[in-house]
Amino acid sequence: MSTMPQQLSSVKQEPHVKQEPHVKQEPLTQLPSASQPYHSQQPFYQQQQHPSTYSSSHQYGHPAYASLQNPASTSSSTGSLGSFSSIPSTSNYNLSRHLIAINMQHNQAVSSGANSIPNGGNNAGGSGATTPSLANAHSNANASTNASVPSSPTLNNLQYHPNGTGSHFNSHVNSTTTSGASTPYAQHSSYGQTAYQSQSQQAHSYQHQTSHTNDINSSGYYNSSPPYGSHPQPPASQQSQQQQPQSHHHASNNTGSGSGTGGGPHVQFSSTAPSPMRQHQPPQYASLVPPLSDSQYAQYHQLLGSSAFSSAQSTPYHSNHSTPYSSLPGSPTLEYQQLNSNTNVNSHSMLHNNGNNANESPLTQKPKRRQVKNACVNCQKACKKCDEGRPCTRCIKYGLTDTCVDSTRKVRKKGIKRGPYKRRPPPTQIGSASVATTPTMRNAVPTGVPGYMSEPVTALNSPTQSHMLPFNSNTSTSSLGHMSAPLDFGYDASSGSGGYAFHAHRMDSGYAPSYATGYSGSGLYASPYGMSSSNNNNNNSTSSNSHLP
DNA sequence: CTGCTCGGACCTTCAAATCT
DNA sequence: GATTTGAAGGTCCGAGCAGT
Ligand SMILES: [Zn+2]
Ligand SMILES: [Zn+2]
């Protein structure tokens, strides 16, 4: 406790840190409906659902957040803080050590991927040592309840302004935090939008950056090496984005809507719930580090020199800072590509994916986007890229380290029936080689398969994923991405289909499969495939996505 | 010019369905 | 029991807009 203050102080105060802006309210919950018609009804088979529980509403639902923050946190906080204290002096936080450590990691990073993190610890001598502890601390906290939050009231206040009161930050600080308010998140709804940011802060900052790196780890995720130790760095393009603060919305779930919200209870970030997901990564430096001030960052850079985080690479914020996007033309893409190239993608995903990857020409192909398994709550809200480090890079940037905990995920419901699956075609037919090669591919559609529209196999060329289908494959999409694309249903069946449209809704709404429509309620499964449009993966997708000319 | 919001594309996970 | 399918449940890109 006492300790905390110290540390915190340093932290909070950093003006440089940006504040998270945050949030939108959760609209989600309400959303609605309208949009998703389909769901309204569940397929009959699905009806079963579980009674249980899930709540849907959740997620963002505030409740969840609440948990995070919990007032209780104090205790927890302690923990964390404690750790901090261990750190050397905080205020100064020794950059060099940090750096060193980082560098070390850096090297290793590649292979280790996620794992790398740990290293941090080791290596570095001293610093390393510290880290670990922290990390642990941190993690524990989570586990327990999320609690992590603890901390600094201050921070919280800043960011979230707990009190609801208003907004703003204000005051901040300090003092007391109060918890009363508590839970920032909880309120979050309110976050009003007002701007959090106030001034100064925004202005600067960003530099931090980190580096970048891009590293992806083998697993496909970004690796951690970067500056903060583990934090991975987003691709340049992304970086720019990162800056944003959060907001949020969709979330998932929500629930509501459809089914209900009511339905569910919501899930949430409850503390109790353990997060199933991954365990935390070990320690990262990040945790230790208070948000760096500009100057600090600057130092960083210097120290690192270009090398490490070179600007080149990712474009450090600064340099481009301005407008990241704009300035860089395609940058994002590029980055992506690079990333991809390095990484391996997981096969499965490939399958599902558009398929671009595989053989397509590099140019055309759109790189696959890698996601973290579990984004932290802050990033989640903001819909921004997170990383595996626990205080994730973004949170560090914004000074949200305290609240940087993994978001909770819903448990997948069991017992839901699904329609009959398509069977996979005999390999031979398809085409040949390509197909064959990929063992993984699923869905390849045989031409002849009944139900399917037959798409010419040829189209498939891309061995890759059949799933995706051909059509325009040209990737057209690629760049477009969403663009204006009208939504569509397309995409792959799965996802796209209508089902999702909004996240929030999507889910809850009921899972209706796309083909659901087909089913009319009666009992049988209609064969979805043929009928429904939706599913066919292919076809539809195309249409929709494609932007057709 | 810069940052924030947020729609929806893209991903990953994992239970059901199917195969062996 | 192993494998495949495909939707649930998530992440986060990037357009559009607002503030400075
Ligand atoms: Zn994050
Ligand atoms: Zn975070």
Side-chain angles (χ1 to χ4, degrees):
Chain A
M1 327 222 164
S2 55
T3 52
M4 292 205 38
Q6 302 178 346
Q7 292 264 359
L8 292 179
S9 59
S10 58
V11 175
K12 41 171 104 178
Q13 317 242 14
E14 275 282 14
H16 301 68
V17 177
K18 289 178 93 168
Q19 318 249 345
E20 264 249 309
H22 298 59
V23 185
K24 9 174 130 197
Q25 338 186 356
E26 269 271 107
L28 305 181
T29 8
Q30 345 181 8
L31 300 166
S33 21
S35 33
Q36 323 199 339
Y38 346 151
H39 305 318
S40 28
Q41 359 183 59
Q42 296 197 335
F44 71 95
Y45 45 95
Q46 305 207 334
Q47 307 199 346
Q48 358 183 11
Q49 307 225 350
H50 281 341
S52 52
T53 44
Y54 300 114
S55 24
S56 14
S57 22
H58 13 0
Q59 298 215 333
Y60 287 106
H62 313 144
Y65 280 94
S67 53
L68 294 177
Q69 313 264 6
N70 29 43
S73 44
T74 31
S75 55
S76 54
S77 52
T78 331
S80 22
L81 288 181
S83 17
F84 272 113
S85 48
S86 53
I87 304 175
S89 48
T90 20
S91 38
N92 318 335
Y93 165 68
N94 189 322
L95 289 177
S96 49
R97 287 187 177 184
H98 194 88
L99 295 176
I100 295 174
I102 295 172
N103 290 340
M104 301 184 69
Q105 289 191 348
H106 209 59
N107 300 339
Q108 309 184 351
V110 178
S111 55
S112 51
N115 303 338
S116 52
I117 301 176
N119 295 341
N122 350 332
N123 323 333
S127 50
T130 44
T131 329
S133 46
L134 253 185
N136 295 344
H138 203 75
S139 56
N140 294 343
N142 294 346
S144 45
T145 21
N146 313 296
S148 38
V149 183
S151 12
S152 44
T154 350
L155 270 184
N156 294 337
N157 290 346
L158 292 178
Q159 329 256 4
Y160 302 104
H161 79 46
N163 306 318
T165 22
S167 4
H168 352 0
F169 306 106
N170 46 31
S171 27
H172 50 27
V173 173
N174 9 231
S175 28
T176 15
T177 331
T178 25
S179 40
S182 40
T183 57
Y185 277 125
Q187 318 199 358
H188 124 323
S189 31
S190 47
Y191 283 146
Q193 345 252 58
T194 31
Y196 284 103
Q197 324 249 0
S198 23
Q199 27 213 353
S200 43
Q201 319 214 337
Q202 320 186 336
H204 329 315
S205 28
Y206 306 119
Q207 315 231 4
H208 123 329
Q209 138 116 43
T210 36
S211 54
H212 69 3
T213 357
N214 25 308
D215 328 9
I216 305 181
N217 57 3
S218 49
S219 52
Y221 290 95
Y222 291 105
N223 227 352
S224 40
S225 12
Y228 289 111
S230 13
H231 295 249
Q233 257 305 285
S237 52
Q238 301 188 345
Q239 298 188 342
S240 53
Q241 300 184 349
Q242 301 220 348
Q243 326 197 19
Q244 315 189 350
Q246 346 211 338
S247 57
H248 184 358
H249 60 305
H250 358 19
S252 7
N253 19 60
N254 64 92
T255 343
S257 21
S259 13
T261 326
H266 319 4
V267 173
Q268 35 273 16
F269 298 145
S270 50
S271 34
T272 30
S275 76
M277 317 283 300
R278 61 174 174 181
Q279 319 248 354
H280 271 146
Q281 303 234 354
Q284 321 223 341
Y285 270 99
S287 32
L288 303 182
V289 184
L292 302 179
S293 59
D294 290 347
S295 57
Q296 293 183 317
Y297 279 109
Q299 295 188 24
Y300 237 138
H301 268 289
Q302 295 189 347
L303 292 177
L304 297 182
S306 35
S307 56
F309 307 134
S310 61
S311 42
Q313 310 197 356
S314 17
T315 6
Y317 283 131
H318 341 354
S319 33
N320 317 331
H321 190 352
S322 42
T323 35
Y325 295 1
S326 43
S327 43
L328 314 180
S331 56
T333 329
L334 288 179
E335 292 253 0
Y336 257 119
Q337 295 191 347
Q338 294 187 345
L339 293 177
N340 283 344
S341 60
N342 298 337
T343 12
N344 319 335
V345 179
N346 104 17
S347 55
H348 193 75
S349 58
M350 299 214 26
L351 296 179
H352 290 290
N353 216 354
N354 298 332
N356 311 323
N357 319 339
N359 303 318
E360 302 213 354
S361 71
L363 297 179
T364 36
Q365 97 185 79
K366 183 175 183 175
K368 183 175 177 182
R369 168 163 68 89
R370 274 171 229 68
Q371 339 182 136
V372 295
K373 293 183 178 179
N374 208 154
C376 70
V377 296
N378 297 316
C379 294
Q380 187 181 56
K381 286 198 294 178
C383 297
K384 295 299 180 187
K385 185 159 178 61
C386 190
D387 58 56
E388 305 208 329
R390 234 27 185 176
C392 65
T393 309
R394 185 166 175 280
C395 289
I396 292 172
K397 184 184 297 182
Y398 291 100
L400 301 179
T401 55
D402 293 341
T403 55
C404 184
V405 297
D406 285 346
S407 54
T408 11
R409 293 184 143 216
K410 286 177 163 183
V411 177
R412 187 175 292 185
K413 301 172 184 173
K414 293 184 180 180
I416 300 177
K417 300 270 183 158
R418 297 170 122 212
Y421 291 152
K422 303 169 186 172
R423 228 3 351 213
R424 72 148 61 159
T428 54
Q429 304 196 344
I430 302 190
S432 36
S434 51
V435 175
T437 50
T438 19
T440 37
M441 312 200 43
R442 309 159 164 207
N443 292 342
V445 180
T447 358
V449 179
Y452 283 85
M453 318 231 348
S454 36
E455 259 306 334
V457 175
T458 53
L460 300 178
N461 322 322
S462 47
T464 25
Q465 323 201 349
S466 24
H467 221 354
M468 325 255 355
L469 290 164
F471 298 49
N472 305 297
S473 45
N474 22 1
T475 359
S476 25
T477 18
S478 60
S479 38
L480 313 179
H482 331 90
M483 286 214 83
S484 29
L487 14 170
D488 87 7
F489 309 85
Y491 177 23
D492 94 350
S494 29
S495 29
S497 14
Y500 299 23
F502 309 89
H503 310 80
H505 326 23
R506 333 158 146 158
M507 330 186 146
D508 302 319
S509 6
Y511 312 122
S514 355
Y515 35 83
T517 33
Y519 293 103
S520 0
S522 51
L524 312 178
Y525 292 92
S527 61
Y529 303 109
M531 325 185 51
S532 65
S533 33
S534 43
N535 264 325
N536 311 303
N537 315 327
N538 326 322
N539 304 328
N540 297 344
S541 50
T542 342
S543 47
S544 42
N545 291 346
S546 46
H547 345 356
L548 326 170

